[in-house]
Amino acid sequence: GAGVSQSPRYKVAKRGQDVALRCDPISGHVSLFWYQQALGQGPEFLTYFQNEAQLDKSGLPSDRFFAERPEGSVSTLKIQRTQQEDSAVYLCASSLGDREREQYFGPGTRLTVT
Amino acid sequence: GENVEQHPSTLSVQEGDSAVIKCTYSDSASNYFPWYKQELGKGPQLIIDIRSNVGEKKDQRIAVTLNKTAKHFSLHITETQPEDSAVYFCAASKVRFGAGTRLTVKP
């Protein structure tokens, strides 16, 4: 069956540009998570949605980062005025219910800011 | 907040040997401990998980042990195969990940 998909898979942005990263979770999955993974590191939690409600955004590194999931399915992570330190892989994961259930990860979007 | 430490950062074993990866966590309220395998260019994939009311769980060649008193948990892979080569992550407190262990299994 279809897993979590993310687009684009690769994005190159000039410093100062805005970017939008898309996540299509598994159909019917209530919970959706965004993570940032720097090279050689583990995923760092950014934000969490339950349906359309953003219940936790404690991991967003600055107010340049914004996430939404308006209809409780597809989610978009937007980064404004990108900086070089934003270069990373951005992972999206979804799960059927609460956080203790298995998370299914997408392949990630590799963002490079030049 | 939760802090997860993972060791070693790299591990190289001969095919057929066992591999052990260890993690410690800080938040005593944590009650769910998954392990993920990540291959190059892919997202992490859950391989096994354990909840705080269980001390050990096994699935074929993979086992996880949990010591809640000491706040540490371990992944054990027996009879390693070259296809086990990947980066492994532990996690605690739902969304806090360790820094990863790069496992290489030499044929």
Side-chain angles (χ1 to χ4, degrees), chain A residues 27-60:
Chain A
S27 178
H29 276 197
V30 168
S31 298
L32 186 144
F33 307 80
W34 282 100
Y35 295 86
Q36 181 190 62
Q37 186 174 27
L39 191 64
Q41 298 295 317
E44 291 283 339
F45 170 76
L46 294 177
T47 187
Y48 160 63
F49 289 86
Q50 189 172 89
N51 296 307
E52 69 278 4
Q54 189 174 19
L55 298 186
D56 188 341
K57 53 182 181 179
S58 62
L60 296 176

Coordinates of all heavy atoms in Angstrom, one line a residue, chain A residues 27-60:
Chain A
S27 N -3.2 7.4 4.5 CA -4.6 7.7 4.6 C -5.2 7.2 5.9 O -5.0 6.0 6.3 CB -5.4 7.1 3.4 OG -6.8 7.4 3.5
G28 N -5.9 8.1 6.6 CA -6.5 7.7 7.9 C -5.7 7.9 9.1 O -6.1 7.7 10.2
H29 N -4.4 8.2 8.9 CA -3.5 8.4 10.1 C -3.8 9.8 10.7 O -3.8 10.8 10.0 CB -2.1 8.4 9.6 CG -1.6 6.9 9.6 ND1 -0.2 6.6 9.6 CD2 -2.2 5.8 9.6 CE1 -0.1 5.3 9.6 NE2 -1.3 4.8 9.6
V30 N -4.1 9.8 12.0 CA -4.5 10.9 12.7 C -3.3 11.8 13.1 O -3.4 13.1 13.0 CB -5.3 10.5 14.0 CG1 -5.5 11.7 14.9 CG2 -6.6 9.8 13.7
S31 N -2.2 11.2 13.4 CA -1.1 12.0 13.9 C -0.1 12.2 12.8 O 0.2 11.3 12.0 CB -0.4 11.2 15.1 OG -1.3 11.1 16.2
L32 N 0.5 13.4 12.8 CA 1.6 13.7 11.8 C 2.7 14.5 12.5 O 2.4 15.4 13.3 CB 1.0 14.5 10.7 CG 1.9 14.9 9.5 CD1 1.1 14.8 8.2 CD2 2.6 16.1 9.7
F33 N 3.9 14.1 12.2 CA 5.1 14.7 12.9 C 6.0 15.2 11.8 O 6.2 14.6 10.7 CB 5.8 13.6 13.7 CG 5.0 12.8 14.6 CD1 4.2 11.8 14.2 CD2 5.0 13.1 16.0 CE1 3.4 11.1 15.1 CE2 4.3 12.4 16.9 CZ 3.4 11.4 16.5
W34 N 6.7 16.3 12.1 CA 7.8 16.8 11.3 C 9.1 16.7 12.2 O 9.1 17.1 13.4 CB 7.6 18.2 10.9 CG 6.6 18.4 9.7 CD1 5.3 18.8 9.8 CD2 6.9 18.3 8.3 NE1 4.8 18.8 8.5 CE2 5.8 18.5 7.6 CE3 8.1 17.9 7.6 CZ2 5.7 18.5 6.2 CZ3 8.0 17.9 6.2 CH2 6.8 18.2 5.6
Y35 N 10.2 16.3 11.5 CA 11.5 16.2 12.1 C 12.5 16.9 11.2 O 12.4 16.9 10.0 CB 12.0 14.8 12.3 CG 11.1 14.0 13.3 CD1 10.0 13.3 12.9 CD2 11.5 13.9 14.6 CE1 9.2 12.6 13.8 CE2 10.7 13.1 15.5 CZ 9.6 12.5 15.1 OH 8.8 11.7 15.9
Q36 N 13.6 17.4 11.8 CA 14.8 17.9 11.1 C 15.9 16.9 11.4 O 16.2 16.7 12.5 CB 15.1 19.3 11.5 CG 16.3 19.9 10.8 CD 16.7 21.2 11.5 OE1 17.1 21.3 12.6 NE2 16.6 22.3 10.7
Q37 N 16.6 16.4 10.3 CA 17.7 15.6 10.5 C 19.0 16.1 9.9 O 19.1 16.2 8.6 CB 17.4 14.2 10.0 CG 18.5 13.1 10.3 CD 18.2 11.7 9.9 OE1 17.4 11.5 9.0 NE2 18.8 10.8 10.6
A38 N 19.9 16.6 10.7 CA 21.2 17.1 10.2 C 22.1 15.9 9.8 O 21.9 14.8 10.3 CB 21.9 18.0 11.2
L39 N 23.0 16.1 9.0 CA 23.9 15.1 8.5 C 24.6 14.4 9.7 O 25.2 15.0 10.6 CB 25.0 15.7 7.6 CG 25.8 14.6 6.8 CD1 24.9 13.8 5.8 CD2 26.9 15.4 6.0
G40 N 24.5 13.0 9.8 CA 25.1 12.3 10.8 C 24.5 12.4 12.2 O 25.0 11.9 13.2
Q41 N 23.3 12.9 12.2 CA 22.5 13.0 13.5 C 21.2 12.3 13.5 O 20.7 11.9 12.4 CB 22.3 14.5 13.8 CG 23.6 15.3 13.9 CD 24.4 14.9 15.1 OE1 23.9 14.7 16.2 NE2 25.7 14.8 14.9
G42 N 20.6 12.2 14.6 CA 19.3 11.6 14.7 C 18.2 12.7 14.4 O 18.5 13.9 14.4
P43 N 17.0 12.2 14.1 CA 15.9 13.2 13.8 C 15.7 14.1 15.0 O 15.6 13.5 16.2 CB 14.8 12.3 13.5 CG 15.4 11.0 13.1 CD 16.6 10.8 13.9
E44 N 15.5 15.3 14.8 CA 15.1 16.3 15.9 C 13.6 16.7 15.7 O 13.3 17.2 14.6 CB 16.0 17.5 15.8 CG 17.4 17.3 16.2 CD 17.6 17.1 17.7 OE1 16.8 17.6 18.5 OE2 18.7 16.5 18.1
F45 N 12.8 16.5 16.7 CA 11.4 16.8 16.6 C 11.2 18.3 16.4 O 11.8 19.1 17.0 CB 10.8 16.4 17.9 CG 9.3 16.9 18.1 CD1 8.3 16.2 17.4 CD2 9.0 17.9 18.9 CE1 7.0 16.6 17.6 CE2 7.7 18.4 19.1 CZ 6.7 17.7 18.4
L46 N 10.3 18.6 15.4 CA 9.9 19.9 15.2 C 8.5 20.2 15.7 O 8.3 21.2 16.5 CB 10.0 20.2 13.7 CG 11.4 20.2 13.0 CD1 11.2 20.4 11.5 CD2 12.3 21.2 13.6
T47 N 7.5 19.5 15.2 CA 6.1 19.8 15.5 C 5.2 18.5 15.3 O 5.6 17.6 14.6 CB 5.6 21.0 14.7 OG1 4.3 21.4 15.1 CG2 5.5 20.6 13.2
Y48 N 4.0 18.6 15.9 CA 3.1 17.4 15.9 C 1.7 17.9 15.7 O 1.3 18.9 16.3 CB 3.3 16.7 17.3 CG 2.1 15.8 17.7 CD1 1.8 14.7 16.9 CD2 1.4 16.1 18.8 CE1 0.8 13.9 17.3 CE2 0.4 15.2 19.2 CZ 0.1 14.1 18.5 OH -0.9 13.3 18.8
F49 N 1.0 17.2 14.8 CA -0.4 17.5 14.6 C -1.3 16.3 15.0 O -0.9 15.1 14.7 CB -0.7 17.8 13.1 CG -0.1 19.1 12.6 CD1 1.2 19.2 12.2 CD2 -0.9 20.2 12.6 CE1 1.7 20.4 11.7 CE2 -0.5 21.4 12.1 CZ 0.9 21.5 11.7
Q50 N -2.4 16.6 15.5 CA -3.4 15.5 15.6 C -4.6 16.0 14.8 O -5.2 17.1 15.2 CB -3.8 15.3 17.1 CG -4.7 14.1 17.3 CD -4.9 13.8 18.8 OE1 -5.8 14.3 19.4 NE2 -4.0 13.0 19.3
N51 N -4.9 15.4 13.7 CA -5.8 15.9 12.7 C -5.3 17.3 12.3 O -4.2 17.4 11.9 CB -7.3 15.9 13.3 CG -7.8 14.5 13.6 OD1 -7.7 13.6 12.7 ND2 -8.2 14.2 14.8
E52 N -6.2 18.3 12.3 CA -5.7 19.6 11.9 C -5.1 20.4 13.0 O -4.6 21.5 12.8 CB -6.9 20.3 11.2 CG -8.0 20.8 12.2 CD -9.0 19.7 12.5 OE1 -8.8 18.5 12.0 OE2 -10.0 19.9 13.2
A53 N -5.2 19.9 14.2 CA -4.7 20.7 15.4 C -3.2 20.5 15.6 O -2.8 19.4 15.7 CB -5.5 20.3 16.6
Q54 N -2.5 21.6 15.7 CA -1.1 21.6 15.9 C -0.9 21.6 17.5 O -1.0 22.6 18.1 CB -0.4 22.8 15.3 CG 1.1 22.7 15.4 CD 1.8 23.8 14.6 OE1 1.2 24.8 14.3 NE2 3.1 23.7 14.3
L55 N -0.7 20.4 18.0 CA -0.7 20.3 19.5 C 0.7 20.6 20.1 O 0.7 20.8 21.3 CB -1.1 18.8 19.9 CG -2.5 18.4 19.5 CD1 -2.9 17.1 20.0 CD2 -3.5 19.5 19.9
D56 N 1.7 20.5 19.3 CA 3.1 20.7 19.9 C 3.9 21.3 18.8 O 4.1 20.7 17.8 CB 3.6 19.4 20.4 CG 4.9 19.6 21.2 OD1 5.6 20.6 21.1 OD2 5.3 18.6 21.9
K57 N 4.4 22.5 19.0 CA 5.4 23.1 18.1 C 6.6 23.5 18.8 O 7.3 24.4 18.4 CB 4.7 24.2 17.3 CG 4.1 25.3 18.2 CD 3.4 26.4 17.3 CE 2.8 27.5 18.1 NZ 2.2 28.5 17.2
S58 N 6.9 22.9 19.9 CA 8.0 23.2 20.8 C 9.4 23.1 20.1 O 10.4 23.7 20.5 CB 8.0 22.4 22.1 OG 8.1 21.1 21.8
G59 N 9.5 22.2 19.0 CA 10.7 22.0 18.4 C 11.1 22.9 17.3 O 12.2 22.9 16.7
L60 N 10.1 23.7 16.9 CA 10.4 24.7 15.8 C 11.5 25.6 16.2 O 11.4 26.3 17.2 CB 9.2 25.4 15.4 CG 8.0 24.6 14.8 CD1 6.8 25.4 14.5 CD2 8.5 23.9 13.5

